[in-house]
Amino acid sequence: MLQERIADIAKFVEPDRVRKEVYTDPQIFDLEMARIHEKYWIYCGHESQVPKAGDYYTVQIGRQPMLLVRGEDGKVNVLYNRCPHRGNMICGDRHGNTGEFFRCSYHAWTFQHDGKVRSIPMMESGYAGTRFGKDNPDCSMKRAARVESYRGFVFASLAADGPTLKEFLGESKIAFDDMCDRAPAGEVEVVPNCFRVIQHSNWKIFLENQLDALHPSVVHQSTGRAAHEVEKDIAKKTGKAPLSYHMLSAFATVTIDKWDNFQTLNYPYGHCILTGYMGLRPKDPDTLAYEKVMHKAYGKQRTEEILGVNIHHVLIYPGLSVQSPLQQLRAVRPLGVDKTLTEIWHFRLKGAPEPIYRRSLAYYNLVNSPATLINADDLENFWKCHQGLASDGGDWVSFGRFHGRDIEKPGGMVETGPNMGTSEAPMRNQMKAWAQYMGNGR
Amino acid sequence: MSAKHQHDAEQFLYRQADLLDSKKWQDWIDLFTPDGVYWMPADPAHKHWDGMPAIFAEDKNLMTVRMKRVLHPDAWSQRPLWGTNHVVSNVVVDKAAKNGDLVVRSRFHMLELRRDDVRHFAGQYTHHLKKTKAGYRVKLQRVDMTNAQAAYDYVLQVWV
């Protein structure tokens, strides 16, 4: 039955609208996990999360519980978090250090950091003459089919075939270049803290909101106004309010019409870049001191190139949202058709002065913590969105804003037209890619 | 440490919690010293509120932003029925300085109703109280929530 309906998957997606079942049907969700998340490149973590041999983090790829682990050889491995003996999960903690090897808590099989079986209790007597033993690969922990990293950001693909990570990322790799280049040392390290927030809505609703330039001044008006009032008050008393107030007040001061000045660049595989800037290059003493360090590291010309990169947000389909100028990253882990976990990380620019770290930290705490002043209203909408879509009040989701006026570029890139920043081109692009992923039922 | 310290500290904590439950946000903010900070660390091992990832790390200005947001008619997430009930207990006066300043530890349990959903939050408060002519004021309130480390089902909108 499912296969019959899925044979018609193309009918679920039209260029300017999408069937509601795409968000609410558990069978479509399972197929998405198989054909998208468990096949293409999924972000697992940053190398600096596991600095020492034996350090591990658990991570969900599609429906698969996985482990990101640093080996003795310095290599980062991605393994299924599953003992090949009886299927027991190997690591029950979210993260930690496993020591020199993994040891299953059920029957004490042990494994190297690359997953290879190391010892089985009383193996000689217990398994003599059976198919089981150290030389049988089925007695080792299964590894992700492919693991690659780009500038320290580790991805895994659970399919042996497919594009390389670089081919897959394409232009969206600028998310990591922009983030790392802003560090005088050319790399970032993770701030060891992950904020985790659950949303009661389909994972695609979150992704579609990321580059939705129409929503901020509607949804975040309350915080924008409040921050603007306090910002003015502080400025009156002390001359200048911290930049973090500006980041919040912009949600109100950048009114709905001004968001058309932004632009989205939409790429194959569903990736998308929102250009535009949040006034992060002011001329205050902290910024000037930072620019001095950058000049020393890169020279004047290259520094200008780096700091002139005009990016607000990069969406890497199907599960990563990166705010490179603020060194924040949100990984999207679908838990079910109507339940999604976001894991939110902040990175430190290596070699940058402390105030630059604190500036982006303020954004991390105010916008991305579980006491967020911003996402509270987004999550409310996501929930309402999912509730509405589950109803029989209509069959379609509309992505028609500025449809027909997108500009198609060579190589499959689609950009929004001049003064059409609120175009729903990112959603159209994501769903076009979705239909292609789902149609490729390898 | 005297019985009076114990009594004064308890009364202060009960009244502060009552202001949250009765949504008297400005009165709650007024209980902080001009440089007072409300802090919920991201990690129980954190020692200082400044420069660290934190769930809350708010001075009075940021508290005012939060209050004004919640009171704004378009704070969509605040439209549904929402309320809390705090119980504060296990009050221990850890330090009483000669000038009357106190360091007080206590345990709290908060029930929240939002729309039809009930959530529970519980943990330890550490209050650094300054004695002023108008009564005690909070210089630093540290909130170590036992379930701060778990994934959040939805988010926190107001101080716990």
Side-chain angles (χ1 to χ4, degrees):
Chain A
M1 180 192 76
L2 175 66
Q3 290 307 326
E4 284 162 29
R5 287 200 296 128
I6 300 309
D8 275 348
I9 201 82
K11 287 191 184 157
F12 287 75
V13 179
E14 294 182 6
D16 62 344
R17 60 179 194 167
V18 174
R19 289 281 305 189
K20 63 168 188 176
E21 291 87 349
V22 163
Y23 300 85
T24 57
D25 185 330
Q27 291 182 311
I28 291 183
F29 175 82
D30 275 342
L31 208 66
E32 285 175 329
M33 293 304 105
R35 293 189 180 174
I36 307 176
H37 292 76
E38 293 168 8
K39 222 167 103 182
Y40 289 88
W41 292 101
I42 299 292
Y43 178 66
C44 296
H46 192 263
E47 286 176 8
S48 60
Q49 273 171 246
V50 286
K52 296 190 303 290
D55 285 348
Y56 71 86
Y57 258 88
T58 59
V59 60
Q60 187 86 5
I61 298 184
R63 296 157 298 186
Q64 312 302 319
M66 308 294 292
L67 287 169
L68 175 79
V69 58
R70 174 80 68 173
E72 303 286 347
D73 56 359
K75 253 184 73 179
V76 174
N77 304 289
V78 179
L79 312 170
Y80 287 77
N81 188 5
R82 178 192 190 277
C83 180
H85 175 212
R86 297 271 281 274
N88 214 46
M89 203 177 243
I90 294 286
C91 293
D93 285 350
R94 217 157 54 76
H95 60 95
N97 184 291
T98 187
E100 286 172 28
F101 50 84
F102 290 113
R103 183 176 188 273
C104 180
S105 59
Y106 199 1
H107 304 97
W109 286 32
T110 63
F111 306 91
Q112 295 171 189
H113 297 143
D114 63 1
K116 194 171 181 343
V117 64
R118 181 177 160 278
S119 68
I120 298 172
M122 298 163 289
M123 189 181 70
E124 296 307 324
S125 54
Y127 286 100
T130 73
R131 71 170 89 187
F132 302 103
K134 279 170 80 172
D135 297 328
N136 182 345
D138 289 346
C139 290
S140 289
M141 289 168 73
K142 189 175 169 184
R143 299 165 57 83
R146 294 181 295 159
V147 180
E148 284 188 41
S149 79
Y150 183 73
R151 299 198 76 162
F153 295 83
V154 183
F155 288 74
S157 159
L158 301 186
D161 305 318
T164 65
L165 176 62
K166 256 192 155 164
E167 286 165 355
F168 175 75
L169 291 176
E171 293 298 316
S172 73
K173 76 178 177 58
I174 197 168
F176 308 115
D177 290 333
D178 185 36
M179 203 194 284
C180 296
D181 289 347
R182 285 169 187 273
E187 58 180 359
V188 295
E189 65 183 342
V190 79
V191 176
N193 177 68
C194 181
F195 287 138
R196 297 181 299 147
V197 177
I198 290 168
Q199 314 169 355
H200 290 272
S201 47
N202 186 263
W203 60 279
K204 296 187 292 300
I205 294 174
F206 176 86
L207 293 191
E208 285 157 8
N209 183 69
Q210 291 304 291
L211 303 182
D212 180 324
L214 194 60
H215 88 283
S217 56
V218 181
V219 178
H220 306 306
Q221 185 67 217
S222 59
T223 297
R225 280 268 149 256
H228 192 48
E229 284 173 25
V230 176
E231 184 183 24
K232 281 191 295 189
D233 200 39
I234 298 173
K236 214 184 319 168
K237 281 184 204 149
T238 67
K240 183 125 186 68
L243 195 66
S244 46
Y245 287 86
H246 173 74
M247 292 174 194
L248 295 176
S249 65
F251 285 106
T253 54
V254 182
T255 49
I256 195 161
D257 49 312
K258 289 190 200 150
W259 285 92
D260 269 333
N261 301 333
F262 287 63
Q263 190 183 33
T264 57
L265 312 173
N266 301 282
Y267 295 94
Y269 293 116
H271 310 323
C272 179
I273 297 171
L274 175 65
T275 65
Y277 217 51
M278 298 175 87
L280 294 175
R281 214 179 157 195
K283 291 287 165 202
D284 63 293
D286 290 342
T287 308
L288 295 179
Y290 164 59
E291 288 185 7
K292 238 182 179 169
V293 181
M294 287 292 280
H295 286 158
K296 222 171 157 187
Y298 292 104
K300 245 190 166 139
Q301 196 192 334
R302 179 76 187 117
T303 299
E304 282 309 307
E305 281 169 24
I306 292 168
L307 299 182
V309 171
N310 185 32
I311 282 183
H312 183 285
H313 226 125
V314 180
L315 179 85
I316 299 172
Y317 207 78
L320 198 57
S321 164
V322 185
Q323 263 183 301
S324 48
L326 289 162
Q327 300 93 48
Q328 336 251 320
L329 171 155
R330 289 187 266 197
V332 182
R333 313 289 181 198
L335 301 180
V337 69
D338 58 354
K339 198 172 173 188
T340 305
L341 171 72
T342 51
E343 297 171 340
I344 313 171
W345 294 90
H346 177 216
F347 296 85
R348 188 189 277 268
L349 299 174
K350 273 195 175 174
E354 180 76 5
I356 298 302
Y357 156 73
R358 291 198 173 214
R359 178 176 292 174
S360 51
L361 176 72
Y363 189 87
Y364 183 64
N365 287 345
L366 292 171
V367 174
N368 281 322
S369 93
T372 168
L373 286 162
I374 294 294
N375 299 337
D377 293 312
D378 285 322
L379 265 56
E380 171 75 5
N381 276 328
F382 300 167
W383 177 79
K384 284 182 184 164
C385 219
H386 197 100
Q387 293 300 307
L389 289 176
S391 83
D392 290 331
D395 293 330
W396 296 95
V397 175
S398 153
F399 293 137
R401 193 173 175 84
F402 288 118
H403 179 236
R405 287 194 266 173
D406 299 333
I407 301 164
E408 294 192 19
K409 297 276 179 175
M413 197 265 261
V414 172
E415 63 177 43
T416 48
N419 215 32
M420 296 181 197
T422 63
S423 166
E424 281 162 343
M427 300 77 173
R428 291 193 284 273
N429 187 58
Q430 286 170 44
M431 287 317 304
K432 190 172 98 186
W434 184 88
Q436 281 166 358
Y437 286 122
M438 295 293 275
N440 292 342
R442 272 185 299 162
Chain B
M1 258 79 71
S2 67
K4 182 162 170 26
H5 286 142
Q6 180 72 24
H7 176 76
D8 289 352
E10 285 175 3
Q11 286 300 308
F12 180 87
L13 297 181
Y14 301 160
R15 284 173 203 281
Q16 191 199 23
D18 188 41
L19 292 176
L20 284 182
D21 292 336
S22 50
K23 303 185 182 176
K24 292 178 181 156
W25 312 125
Q26 188 61 59
D27 292 344
W28 183 85
I29 294 172
D30 289 343
L31 285 183
F32 284 78
T33 61
D35 61 348
V37 169
Y38 177 88
W39 175 37
M40 187 186 288
D43 184 322
H46 290 177
K47 297 268 191 286
H48 303 285
W49 68 272
D50 203 11
M52 304 296 271
I55 297 163
F56 290 87
E58 298 187 356
D59 60 11
K60 286 181 105 164
N61 285 326
L62 282 172
M63 292 176 201
T64 307
V65 174
R66 188 174 293 278
M67 173 183 73
K68 283 174 179 265
R69 177 191 106 71
V70 168
L71 294 175
H72 192 283
D74 289 348
W76 310 106
S77 55
Q78 280 291 311
R79 287 270 188 91
L81 174 69
W82 180 79
T84 61
N85 185 81
H86 286 75
V87 175
V88 182
S89 184
N90 307 14
V91 180
V92 178
V93 179
D94 269 344
K95 267 187 217 157
K98 273 202 180 123
N99 63 6
D101 294 356
L102 302 178
V103 178
V104 183
R105 271 184 306 126
S106 58
R107 293 275 164 179
F108 66 90
H109 193 121
M110 185 261 256
L111 174 147
E112 178 207 62
L113 175 73
R114 184 171 175 275
R115 210 176 269 122
D116 287 336
D117 297 325
V118 170
R119 295 192 295 177
H120 291 272
F121 297 100
Q124 178 174 263
Y125 290 141
T126 308
H127 282 79
H128 294 253
L129 298 176
K130 192 159 181 52
K131 178 133 195 195
T132 74
K133 279 187 190 131
Y136 288 114
R137 291 290 177 266
V138 184
K139 202 168 157 48
L140 176 68
Q141 179 175 355
R142 176 177 173 140
V143 183
D144 288 291
M145 205 160 72
T146 306
N147 39 345
Q149 302 298 303
Y152 283 74
D153 198 331
Y154 196 57
V155 296
L156 301 167
Q157 301 199 49
V158 182
W159 313 282
V160 174

